Amino acid sequence: MKALLPAPACRPARPAGTPEAASRRAGRAPRHVPFPLSAPDGRTAARRRRGRRLENWLCWPRASFSGAVNMDEDVTYNKVEDVVGSHVEDAVTFWAQSINRNRDIVKIGCALAEVCPQSSSVFGNPDLNKIYAGLFSEDKCWYRCKVQKVISDEKCLVRYIDYGNTEILNRSEIVEIPLNLQFPDVAKKYRLWGLQIPSGQEVTQFDQGRSFLGSLIFEKEIKMRHKATYQDGTIVAQAEYGNVDIGEEVAKKGYAEKCKLPSSNNVPEEKKTDPGQLGLGNLKSPIPLWGHRPNPSAFTRPKGRFNGRMVPDLKTKTLVTFPKERLAVGDFNLGSNVSLEKIKQDQKLIEENEKLKAEKEALLESYRELELKVEQTSLELQRAKVTSMELTKHLENTLHTHVGTRMKSLAAKVEILKEVRRANINVRCGDDLSDAVKVVAEGHLVTPSSLDDLEKIWEEYNLAQEKIQICQNVNEGDILIAKRNEVRQKLYTAVEVFIVEVDELSLNKRLKTLQELSASLEAVYGQTREVTNAEEILHKFYEWKHGKREEFNRVRTETDTSLQLLAEWFSSTIKFFDLNDEESLSSEEVIGNVDEILEKIESDVCKELEISLVEQGDTDKEIILNTYNEVLQKIRSEERLITIVQAKYKASIEFKKQIMEWLNKSPNVDHLLSIKKTLKGLKAQLRWKLVEKNNLEEADDCNEPEIEKIKEEITQLRHRVFEKIYHEQEEYEKLTSLVQKWFPELPLLHPEAGILKYMNSGGILTVSLERDLLDAEPMKELSSKRPLVCSEVDGQKVLLKGYSVDMDTEATVIQRAARYHKAWRESKEESGLLPLMFLFLCKSDPLAYLMVPYYPRASLSAVQASTPLSAEEALKVMKGVAHGLHTLHKANIIHGSLHHNNIFVLNRERGIVGDFDFTKSVLCVQNQEFEINEDGIPEVDGLHLDDDVKTLLSSLIYCRNSMTAEQVLNAECFLLPKITLITYPEKDSECEEKEELEEENLDMYDEKARNSEDNFDQ
C-alpha cells in the first residue's frame, strides 16, 4: 500500500496517488535517542514502575534527547498501529502517518490551497510552538509547518508537521493560518525499538543506512507495536512490514546496533541489593525478541563493556566511571545511589548550558553582521561624499550655461508641439471613430419595404413551379398552371415595384463609401472581434470622448496662456534693454517671476505632449477597440444587406427581361416537331438513295457515272441530316432552358417531343440518328468484344462504339454518359477529357452507340511505339491526363479504366483521357510490376527519368498513400520551367533501319491494342 501522503526528505508529500519525486534530500545529522526496554514479568505494579525507570536509564548510553520517556502507566504500551512511512531521518528514526488520516490530509490540502494565498506573511519573531503554512519549493503548494529555527532576517528552518521533512523558506513563504487548522500533527516521529546508531559511524554509511530504511518503510504500510513514548512525542516501537522485522533488517545490514545489557547471571544472588536500590542485580535484559536470535555481529563486543564503554565488574565490585565530557542522562555509575531527580537536574543544567552557548553564538553572529554593516555604511558614505563633490562641481560648471540650456530645451519641446498641432492628431480622442459612427448612422441603408413582399411572392412562385414539375396528370396540371400564372403576374408587379424602389437608392455609391471607410479603419486598428451591447459601447465611447476632449482643450488653453505670458515678458524685456526707449521700467518689474513663468511653460508643454504622444492606457484602448469593432460590425452588416439587395435587383431585372415575352402566352414545340418531320423525310430520302446505290453496284452493267452521282447526293443528304440534327439539338436546348426556368409543364403537355429524355441525358442522347444512315467502316482489329466502326461526319473522323444493352442497363448507360458529358461540357477543351458527340439507340438491335472523335495512331501506346515522347512532351501529356482525372473527380466520377490505349496524345503536346465502358460499374485495371521495398515504396531509381518525375511516379504507385488528381497537378515536375530531356539509347542513323524499326513497333502496337482490348473487356 502506498503511503498516506508521504514525502521525500526534501519536500512535503502530495495526496495519495500523486507521483513523487524520485530523489530525496538529506536531513539533519542523526542523534542517539534512548530506547526503552520492556519490564520483566512477575513484579508488582510499584516495583515494575521503579524497575522500568531504571531500565530505561540503563539502556540509553550517550543519549542526547529532548525529553525523558514516559513509561508509567503508559496506555499506548504494546498498542498496534498501521502507518505509512513519509520521511526518514536516519537508520533508526523516521516519520509516518496513520492510514486512518488519509481524508484529513486531503481536507487539509484543500483548505490550505483556499486560505493561504490571501493570508498574511509572518513578521517579527515567529512563535516556535505555533502552526503556520509553508509554500513548498518543489510543487509550490501549501503545507502546515512549524518554525524550528530562525536562520536570518529573511529565512527560517521549518518542519512540515504532517510529513516530517524540513526545509529553509523565506519569510514571505510562511503565512498565518486560521484556528480551525491549528490541530495536532498528522505525521508522528518513530524510533526503532532496541536500536541505536553506532558510534563513529561514517557519513557514507549513515546515508546508506537512511536510504535502506527508506526503501523498507517509505510509502509502505507498516505495523507498529508501541513500546514507549518520549515527552517530545517520539514513539519507540517495533516495526514490521508483512513478515519482515524492519529493525532486525537494519541491524543485519550493520547500519544500527542493538542495545545490549550485560547478563545478570554472573552476579551471585547473595550480592543482589535491595529492590529499592539502583543495582544491576535486580534487572533482567529485556531486549527485543529478535535480540535473542543468533547474530554474531551484535554480540562480539568485549566482555565488561556496555555499548562500547566500561561497566562495573560485579564480581570484584570495581566501578569504572564515565568520562565527564560524555556524561549525560543515562551516563552514571551503576553502583552509585544517585537519585533520579538529581539526574534530571543535571540534564536540565546541561540543556540550559547548551541553550546559552547557542544564544552566545547567535549574539556573536549578530555582532559580526552589525560590524559588517557598519563597514559597508562607511564605504557608502564615502562614495556619497565623492559623488556629492562631483555633483557640486558639475552644478557650478552648468550654472554658467543654465539659462541657455533651459531655453534650448524649452525651444525643442515647443518645436515638437508645433509639429504635433500641425499634424492635427485626432485619433487619440477618437475623432476618426466618431466620424465613422456618424457616416454609418446618417446614411444607413434600411431594408427596402418591397423586398419582404418580393421574397414571399418568390417563395410562392417557386412552390407553384415545383408542384407543376412533379405533376403527372394533364388535367391537374392545367389547374396548377393557371394558379402559377396568377402568381407570376403578382411576381411581375412586385418586381417592378422593387426595381423602382432600388433605383432610388444609391447602392453603389453607399457601398463604395462603406468599403473605403472600413479600409481606413482597418489600416489604423487592425483585425476585429465580436462585441455585444452596442448601445452601451457607444454610450461609453461618447462619455470617454467628451472627457478626453475637455481635458485636451483645457491643457491646450493652459499652454497657450503660458506661452502668451512668456511673449509678454520678452516684449517688456526688450523695451527695458532698449536704451532709446523713454518708458521707465524698473528691473524688478521687468525680470519679476521669470523662473515661475518658465516652470509653468515647461509643465504645460510637457503635459500637452504627454496627452498627444504618450501611449494610451488599457482602459482607453479597450473603449476605442470596442467602438471600432462595433462600427465595423455595422459596416459589414450594411454591406451584406447591400449585396443581398443588389443580387435580388439583378435577378429581378433578368426575370422582368425574360418573362415579358411569356406573360400572356406559353411556348410550344411546333418548331421542334417541324424539324423532326423534316429529319424524317431526309432520312427516308437517304435510305432510298442508299438502296439505289446498292442496286447499281450489284447490277451486271455497272453505271459508274450514275453511281458517283448518287454518292454525291448521299453525301449531301447526310450533311443535311446532320445539319437538322444540330438544329434539333439547339431547339432542345432552348426548350430545356424554358423548362428549367419558367415552364416545367412542357414535358407533361408535349410528351411526343421527348424533352424529358433529352434533359435526363444531359443533351447527349439523340433519337434522330441511326446506325444505317452512316457510311461506317468496321474496325476489325479493335472489335473483338464490341462493334467498333469508323465514319466521317462533316469532314471529321469519328468512332462509333457499340454497347449491348437491355431494359435495365439502357438507363444506366444514358445516366453515366450524361454525367461524363456534363463534366466535359463545363470546361470543354480545358477539361482534359475525350468529348462525347452523340449517344443513340439502335432500333433493330439491342445496341447503344456512342460517337466520339477518332484520333488515328494517337493513343499513348501507338505514339510510344513509333516515336517515343521526350521528357518535356511526356510531362505535358501527363499534365493533361491529370487535368482530365481532376475534372472527373470533381464530378464524383471514377474512371477506373486508365491505360496506355485509353490516353490520347494530341500534337505531342496535350494529353486527354478517353471514355470508359459505361455499362460496367467495376472496371479492371492492368497491373505493372515494380520492385517494392520493406516500406511498401516502389523502386524507381532504375528508370531513366528526372528526379521530380521519379518522385511523382513513386507517389502514384505507392498503394498506402494514394494521391488525388489535384495533388498530381501541383507536383513539382509540372511547375518546372524546363525539363531535362530523357536520354534514350542511340539509334542507327540509317533510314532503312529506322523505317524497319517503326514498322516493327507499329505491328507490336496493333497486337498490344487487340490484347489490351480483350483484357479490359473481360
Side-chain angles (χ1 to χ4, degrees), residues 75 329 345:
V75 295
V329 176
Q345 292 176 2

Side-chain angles (χ1 to χ4, degrees), residues 436-489:
V437 172
K438 185 177 179 181
V439 170
V440 172
E442 288 181 353
H444 179 66
L445 175 66
V446 181
T447 303
S449 59
S450 59
L451 180 60
D452 293 336
D453 296 336
L454 182 63
E455 290 286 354
K456 292 178 182 178
I457 299 176
W458 264 115
E459 185 176 353
E460 185 180 355
Y461 176 76
N462 291 333
L463 182 61
Q465 291 285 70
E466 290 176 4
K467 289 181 179 180
I468 295 174
Q469 186 176 4
I470 61 178
C471 181
Q472 301 293 330
N473 186 279
V474 177
N475 295 329
E476 183 182 351
D478 291 338
I479 299 173
L480 294 175
I481 291 169
K483 291 182 179 179
R484 189 273 316 277
N485 292 340
E486 294 178 4
V487 177
R488 178 184 291 166
Q489 190 65 43

Side-chain angles (χ1 to χ4, degrees), residues 510-568:
R510 178 64 177 173
L511 182 60
K512 183 179 179 181
T513 300
L514 293 176
Q515 290 174 346
E516 291 176 351
L517 181 60
S518 63
S520 63
L521 292 177
E522 286 178 344
V524 176
Y525 298 103
Q527 296 182 349
T528 62
R529 65 167 185 259
E530 292 292 332
V531 294
T532 56
N533 302 327
E535 297 299 328
E536 182 180 351
I537 288 174
L538 294 178
H539 179 69
K540 285 184 178 180
F541 170 72
Y542 283 120
E543 286 185 349
W544 171 84
K545 183 178 180 301
H546 180 71
K548 285 289 182 181
R549 176 57 63 187
E550 283 188 349
E551 181 186 6
F552 189 78
N553 291 335
R554 177 180 55 80
V555 172
R556 177 168 287 190
T557 302
E558 292 178 355
T559 304
D560 293 339
T561 303
S562 299
L563 290 173
Q564 183 62 33
L565 288 175
L566 182 61
E568 292 176 357

